[in-house]
Amino acid sequence: MTGTVYKSTGSWYTVKSEKGDFLECRMKGKFRIKGIKSTNPIAVGDIVDYELEETSDALTGTIHKIHERKNYIVRKSVNLSKQIHIIASNIDQVFLLVTIDNPPTTTSFIDRFLVTAEAYGIEAVLIFNKIDTLNDQTLDDQLYLQHIYQEIGYKCLRISSTENKGVDQLKEMMIGKVSMFSGHSGVGKSTLVNAMEPSLHLKTTVISEQSKQGQHTTTFAEMYDLSFDARIIDTPGIKGFGIVDMEPSEISGYFPEFFKLKDQCKFNNCLHKEEPHCAIKAALEKDEIAWSRYNSYLKILEGDEEHYRTDNYGEDRAASDETRK
C-alpha cells in the first residue's frame, strides 16, 4: 500500500493512504538513502509504501520503502554537525516568515534559508508578517528589506494575520500546491495557518516581551489538507540555519544577483573576495548589490554558523561602511 507522510515524531509516522485514511506507521529496520546522512530518514511529504499490521490495540502499519523524492529541504542537525535534518520533501514552494523585531529575523538567517532553497530547487517566497505591529522605524526597515529581495527577484508578501491583510493573496498562491511554512519561533506561522483555516485550531503563544523571542508551539513538522485545495507543511521554529555540503565555488551561484554577474569576473574561479577585476565587488561598490547580502555570502563562505539574533537591521544598513574599511 502507498501513502504520504503527514507527520513525523521520530519513531511514529502518520501516513495518509491513497483512499484518504490516516494510519500510524513505524519504520521497518534502517533506511539508508544514497548520499544522505540524515537524522530522520523519513520526512513529512515523503511518498512511502507500507504494510498493515494488526495489534491488540489498533491497526498500524510498517513502512518498508520511500519513493524517490522530487526535492527536499534540509538544515544541519542541531546536535550532530556532520549530519543533516530533512525538514520536508516533495515541496512546490516554501514561505519564509520574517518579522522585524517581534521577534527579529536577521538578514543572515534569511539569506541562508534562501541559499538552501536555491540549492535544492525550491521556489522561496518571503512573507513579512505582523505588519500591523510596525511603527515608523520598523516599517521603514521592513520596506527596505522588501525592496532588497524584490530587486533580486524574490516574491514578497506583506501580511497581518490578526487584521486579515494579505491572507487572501497568500491563499491564491497556495491553491493546488504543497507549501511549507518556516521561520523563527514566534514569527506567527501557526497564527497565519489558523487565519487561513480557522478549523485547524493550531496552538499559538504570545511573544516574550523581555526576550523578544518566541516559544516553540509546533513540536513536529506536520502537513495539513486545507479547504481551498491546498496542502501546507507547518514546521517547528528554527533558531539557526546551517548550510550543508556546499563547495566554496558553488555558493555564489545560489545568490541570483551574483550568478548574473559571475561570468564577467576576470577569473573563472573568482570567490569575490580579494581577486582583481571582480564583477560582484564592482557592483557592490556601485550599490547594485546589497551589502547585507554580500556579508551573508562571506559568512557562508567562511563557514561561520548563523546564530539567532546575532545581527540587527541597523548593522545591516551600516554594513557598507564597515566592509569598506
Side-chain angles (χ1 to χ4, degrees):
M1 302 182 75
T2 302
T4 303
V5 176
Y6 267 59
K7 185 177 182 178
S8 166
T9 62
S11 54
W12 285 92
Y13 305 90
T14 302
V15 176
K16 183 180 181 181
S17 72
E18 293 177 322
K19 294 181 179 179
D21 301 319
F22 287 91
L23 185 74
E24 295 300 310
C25 294
R26 291 178 294 181
M27 183 171 61
K28 184 177 181 179
K30 292 184 178 181
F31 282 89
R32 294 189 180 275
I33 300 175
K34 187 177 180 181
I36 301 177
K37 293 182 179 179
S38 170
T39 59
N40 60 324
I42 299 175
V44 171
D46 277 341
I47 309 299
V48 297
D49 290 344
Y50 63 94
E51 298 171 349
L52 294 178
E53 289 183 343
E54 285 197 43
T55 65
S56 57
D57 298 324
L59 188 67
T60 60
T62 302
I63 297 170
H64 58 86
K65 178 184 177 182
I66 304 172
H67 289 221
E68 184 176 353
R69 293 167 173 146
K70 175 176 73 175
N71 58 35
Y72 55 92
I73 191 164
V74 306
R75 64 184 178 93
K76 279 187 179 178
S77 170
V78 175
N79 299 317
L80 300 168
S81 61
K82 292 184 179 180
Q83 290 197 319
I84 64 170
H85 178 81
I86 302 172
I87 302 173
S89 68
N90 300 318
I91 310 160
D92 293 314
Q93 57 191 352
V94 57
F95 292 93
L96 180 64
L97 273 72
V98 175
T99 46
I100 301 304
D101 69 346
N102 191 25
T105 306
T106 68
T107 52
S108 179
F109 178 86
I110 295 169
D111 294 336
R112 285 169 182 269
F113 192 94
L114 293 178
V115 163
T116 300
E118 293 280 349
Y120 287 92
I122 301 169
E123 181 183 4
V125 180
L126 297 183
I127 293 179
F128 291 95
N129 201 24
K130 303 185 183 181
I131 59 171
D132 56 293
T133 67
L134 301 176
N135 57 33
D136 289 345
Q137 179 58 53
T138 52
L139 175 59
D140 187 44
D141 290 338
Q142 185 272 303
L143 293 175
Y144 168 73
L145 277 187
Q146 183 173 338
H147 171 74
I148 287 176
Y149 292 103
Q150 283 182 329
E151 284 291 300
I152 295 167
Y154 288 107
K155 295 177 184 176
C156 297
L157 295 177
R158 302 180 73 246
I159 283 181
S160 167
S161 305
T162 55
E163 297 183 358
N164 205 38
K165 293 180 180 177
V167 175
D168 288 341
Q169 183 182 359
L170 173 60
K171 290 169 71 172
E172 287 179 11
M173 294 177 66
M174 295 173 63
I175 292 173
K177 296 181 179 180
V178 176
S179 304
M180 187 183 96
F181 276 29
S182 194
H184 288 320
S185 297
V187 293
K189 297 186 299 294
S190 298
T191 300
L192 179 53
V193 176
N194 285 339
M196 291 189 293
E197 199 73 78
S199 62
L200 290 178
H201 301 297
L202 299 189
K203 184 180 178 183
T204 61
T205 58
V206 178
I207 292 289
S208 165
E209 284 300 316
Q210 183 176 3
S211 67
K212 288 289 185 181
Q213 295 187 31
Q215 300 176 16
H216 293 282
T217 53
T218 303
T219 309
F220 303 102
E222 184 166 3
M223 179 149 42
Y224 299 95
D225 293 323
L226 305 181
S227 60
F228 51 95
D229 185 29
R231 284 184 288 172
I232 184 173
I233 300 174
D234 189 23
T235 61
I238 302 171
K239 284 190 176 182
F241 204 89
I243 296 295
V244 179
D245 291 336
M246 288 186 190
E247 295 296 326
S249 59
E250 292 180 295
I251 295 169
S252 63
Y254 301 129
F255 284 75
E257 71 273 42
F258 291 19
F259 183 74
K260 291 177 183 178
L261 299 172
K262 280 182 67 174
D263 62 352
Q264 297 179 31
C265 292
K266 181 177 181 179
F267 300 102
N268 291 334
N269 60 347
C270 184
L271 291 179
H272 323 302
K273 292 179 69 179
E274 308 299 332
E275 299 90 343
H277 306 292
C278 170
I280 278 78
K281 292 281 286 187
L284 196 62
E285 293 296 338
K286 297 176 186 176
D287 287 327
E288 295 171 356
I289 287 176
W291 284 88
S292 61
R293 291 277 288 172
Y294 183 69
N295 287 337
S296 293
Y297 166 74
L298 291 181
K299 287 179 181 178
I300 296 171
L301 190 65
E302 293 161 6
D304 291 350
E305 290 303 312
E306 198 274 338
H307 298 291
Y308 188 31
R309 300 185 66 193
T310 55
D311 302 324
N312 63 51
Y313 295 107
E315 289 170 354
D316 288 331
R317 291 186 125 179
S320 60
D321 294 335
E322 201 58 38
T323 307
R324 285 190 175 102
K325 291 179 182 178

